[in-house]
């Protein structure tokens, strides 16, 4: 075998980390559930065109980051880099257009061939929500509120800001595109090579450039908010008003553009300084043209996705492991009774560690190591009396209990 290391950018998630991951996922699921969102699961791979035709020809994802391969039937397949396009595809292929509005929650692995660093993997996990079929900005208010409540439930809201922008409708975007290109053309010689290449095909993405020289030029660039037409302005005003009524704090960032092409009107990111370069925790926006562009009926949509790994880095171990009860048989004779008792107690809801082997001392050491809350000690003496000794591992107190009342006695440790 060439290497026993996981593939670069992928990770084994060991139990301690996985507890945090699951806590993040469950907090998102429960919060979205309170807004009436139901879980959906779509395949982790799709025909390549589901992504290549929707995320943007010039987007980093499509140009550099997709895991694409021909399968044995020569179909071109891509491991999903994000969840929205797959859900839009599922909406069309399952013929759900008569059930609108639809509110979906999802979770699962995503794949992007990016340069790995803290908070950025090639296989990572997202939780997300998508609300389909609602034109009104009220839908955006709702999805942004879910994100805000979710971050509060995780206790990270104090370290996060919601950055918000409007990309307007397509007329506003074309007007802005022209204004921006005119401005950038005046500085073309100072722009980075990457940005010059984007000028023609996707000038808005230049606003996202990390290049120092570009940043100086962008600082004085015209703003999209100045190019919004009246309907787009009205939409944005209603969104802001709805967020204020809902008690969701936000900061306007007129330079916020998203890396995917399907957005219109609302664009937002909940960002933090706590993770270094990878500051976006939750990101999303409105995508009214996506489903139609894929060949479905005109259906507006809005939603977001959050990086589970990034959020897991922000929280403490949420619950800790459930503390087990250790079974400590002394001598072979107790073994049979211990196995029977163990199964009865597990079926009654207790978490039991069987220890498997070793003398009393070894087994007590293990009970400490796994931070057992109690130890049930069964020796010859106890066997003859049909009793066991229960040791409270925190207080050290030992009590002899008749076998018949053991389950009852242990209920204090549940
Ligand atoms: P995105 O901004 O590409 O949007 O990703 C959303 C979030 O996924 C990011 O803010 C980040 O937390 C996490 N993420 C992205 N790439 C990585 C990576 N390589 N490693 C770790 N975490 C990562 C979308 O995916 C859109 N589908 C969101 C959306 C849903 N818009 C509307 N509905």
């Amino acid at each position: 075998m060439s290497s026993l290391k996981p593939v670069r950018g992928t990770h084994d998630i060991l139990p301690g980390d996985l507890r945090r991951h699951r806590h993040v996922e469950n907090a998102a699921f429960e919060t979205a559930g309170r807004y009436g969102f139901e879980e959906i699961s779509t395949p982790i791979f799709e025909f390549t065109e589901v992504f290549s035709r929707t995320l943007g020809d010039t987007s980093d994802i499509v140009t550099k980051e997709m895991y694409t391969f021909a399968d044995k039937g020569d179909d071109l397949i891509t491991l999903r880099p994000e969840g929205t396009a797959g859900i839009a595809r599922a909406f069309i292929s399952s013929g759900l257009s008569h059930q609108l509005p639809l509110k979906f929650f999802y979770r699962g692995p995503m794949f992007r061939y990016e340069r790995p660093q803290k908070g950025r993997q090639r296989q990572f996990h997202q939780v997300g929500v998508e609300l389909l079929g609602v034109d009104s900005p009220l839908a955006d208010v709702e999805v942004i509120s879910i994100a805000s409540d979710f971050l509060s439930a995780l206790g990270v809201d104090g370290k996060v800001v919601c950055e918000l922008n409007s990309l307007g409708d397509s007329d506003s975007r074309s007007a802005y595109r022209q204004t921006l290109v005119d401005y950038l053309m005046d500085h073309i010689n100072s722009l980075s090579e990457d940005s010059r290449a984007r000028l023609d095909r996707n000038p808005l993405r230049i606003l996202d450039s990390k290049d120092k020289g570009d940043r100086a030029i962008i600082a004085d660039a015209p703003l999209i908010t100045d190019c919004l037409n009246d309907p787009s302005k009205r939409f944005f005003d209603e969104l802001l008003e709805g967020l204020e009524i809902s008690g969701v704090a936000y900061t306007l960032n007129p330079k916020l553009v998203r890396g995917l092409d399907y957005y219109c009107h609302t664009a937002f990111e909940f960002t933090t300084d706590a993770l270094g370069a990878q500051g976006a925790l939750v990101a999303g926006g409105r995508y009214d043209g996506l489903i139609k562009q894929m060949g479905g009926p005109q259906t507006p949509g809005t939603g977001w996705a959050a990086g589970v790994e990034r959020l897991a880095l922000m929280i403490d171990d949420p619950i800790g492991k459930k503390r087990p009860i250790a079974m400590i048989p002394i001598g072979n004779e107790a073994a049979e009774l211990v196995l029977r008792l163990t199964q009865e107690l597990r079926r009654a809801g207790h978490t039991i560690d069987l220890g498997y082997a070793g003398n009393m001392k070894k087994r007590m050491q293990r009970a400490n190591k796994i931070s057992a809350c109690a130890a049930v000690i069964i020796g010859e003496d106890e066997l003859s009396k049909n009793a066991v000794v229960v040791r409270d591992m925190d207080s050290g107190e030992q009590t002899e209990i008749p076998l018949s009342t053991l389950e009852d006695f242990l209920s204090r440790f549940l």
Side-chain angles (χ1 to χ4, degrees), residues 26-45:
N26 292 341
F29 175 69
E30 278 163 27
T31 309
R34 284 201 294 280
Y35 286 75
F37 282 62
E38 286 197 290
E39 186 158 5
I40 184 173
S41 174
T42 63
I44 63 164
F45 51 81

Side-chain angles (χ1 to χ4, degrees), residues 362-384:
K362 278 259 156 61
R363 284 173 184 264
M364 281 313 264
Q365 278 168 351
R366 176 172 166 83
N368 274 318
K369 196 168 142 215
I370 60 172
S371 61
C373 55
V376 176
I377 303 161
I378 311 173
E380 271 168 38
D381 223 23
E382 287 83 17
L383 264 182
S384 64

Side-chain angles (χ1 to χ4, degrees), residues 354-412:
L354 201 45
Y356 309 113
N359 59 22
M360 165 98 176
K361 186 168 164 226
K362 278 259 156 61
R363 284 173 184 264
M364 281 313 264
Q365 278 168 351
R366 176 172 166 83
N368 274 318
K369 196 168 142 215
I370 60 172
S371 61
C373 55
V376 176
I377 303 161
I378 311 173
E380 271 168 38
D381 223 23
E382 287 83 17
L383 264 182
S384 64
K385 287 195 267 178
N386 250 339
V388 297
V389 169
V390 177
R391 180 183 173 88
D392 182 320
M393 297 295 287
D394 292 330
S395 66
E397 189 187 337
Q398 300 207 149
T399 320
E400 190 174 285
I401 309 287
L403 259 184
S404 55
T405 60
L406 177 64
E407 198 181 311
D408 219 26
F409 183 82
L410 290 179
S411 59
R412 70 188 61 186

Side-chain angles (χ1 to χ4, degrees), residues 1-213:
M1 204 180 284
S2 61
S3 170
L4 288 174
K5 284 194 194 139
V7 174
R8 186 164 138 79
T10 70
H11 293 277
D12 302 309
I13 310 171
L14 301 180
D17 284 336
L18 197 54
R19 274 204 297 280
R20 284 206 293 279
H21 280 230
R22 292 287 182 252
H23 183 69
V24 169
E25 283 181 16
N26 292 341
F29 175 69
E30 278 163 27
T31 309
R34 284 201 294 280
Y35 286 75
F37 282 62
E38 286 197 290
E39 186 158 5
I40 184 173
S41 174
T42 63
I44 63 164
F45 51 81
E46 299 271 356
F47 292 118
T48 297
E49 59 180 24
V50 168
F51 307 112
S52 63
R53 286 186 28 202
T54 55
L55 308 186
D57 297 345
T58 57
S59 66
D60 285 350
I61 295 188
V62 171
T63 54
K64 302 188 242 178
E65 297 171 1
M66 296 205 303
Y67 280 90
T68 297
F69 58 95
D71 71 6
K72 293 196 193 304
D74 273 342
D75 282 319
L76 206 55
I77 301 290
T78 293
L79 299 185
R80 64 180 181 194
E82 59 101 56
T84 313
I87 287 182
R89 196 273 308 138
F91 169 79
I92 301 169
S93 36
S94 304
L96 300 179
S97 58
H98 302 297
Q99 301 177 32
L100 294 169
L102 284 163
K103 305 191 215 176
F104 293 128
F105 167 85
Y106 59 96
R107 57 179 121 197
M110 308 289 162
F111 306 86
R112 297 183 192 177
Y113 191 81
E114 293 193 81
R115 199 166 47 76
Q117 55 175 250
K118 184 179 171 194
R120 190 162 75 194
Q121 297 85 239
R122 290 181 174 174
Q123 177 177 334
F124 61 100
H125 296 77
Q126 284 186 343
V127 286
V129 298
E130 310 294 352
L131 204 176
L132 305 181
V134 183
D135 279 319
S136 153
L138 198 53
D140 306 71
V141 172
E142 277 217 317
V143 299
I144 296 174
S145 301
I146 299 175
S148 168
D149 288 359
F150 161 47
L151 295 171
S152 302
L154 290 178
V156 302
D157 43 328
K159 300 179 204 153
V160 174
V161 285
C162 170
E163 299 183 44
L164 186 61
N165 194 17
S166 172
L167 306 174
D169 59 11
S170 53
D171 287 347
S172 306
R173 271 199 312 290
S174 330
Y176 177 60
R177 192 187 154 106
Q178 198 49 55
T179 312
L180 182 65
V181 170
D182 290 347
Y183 168 81
L184 293 172
M185 284 304 276
D186 291 342
H187 300 83
I188 188 152
N189 293 330
S190 320
L191 278 178
S192 69
E193 208 174 306
D194 270 359
S195 291
R196 249 179 282 159
R198 281 191 168 133
L199 199 54
D200 231 15
R201 301 185 64 193
N202 198 349
L204 264 67
R205 289 286 290 145
I206 297 176
L207 297 177
D208 230 12
S209 168
K210 304 281 179 283
D211 179 87
K212 229 172 158 195

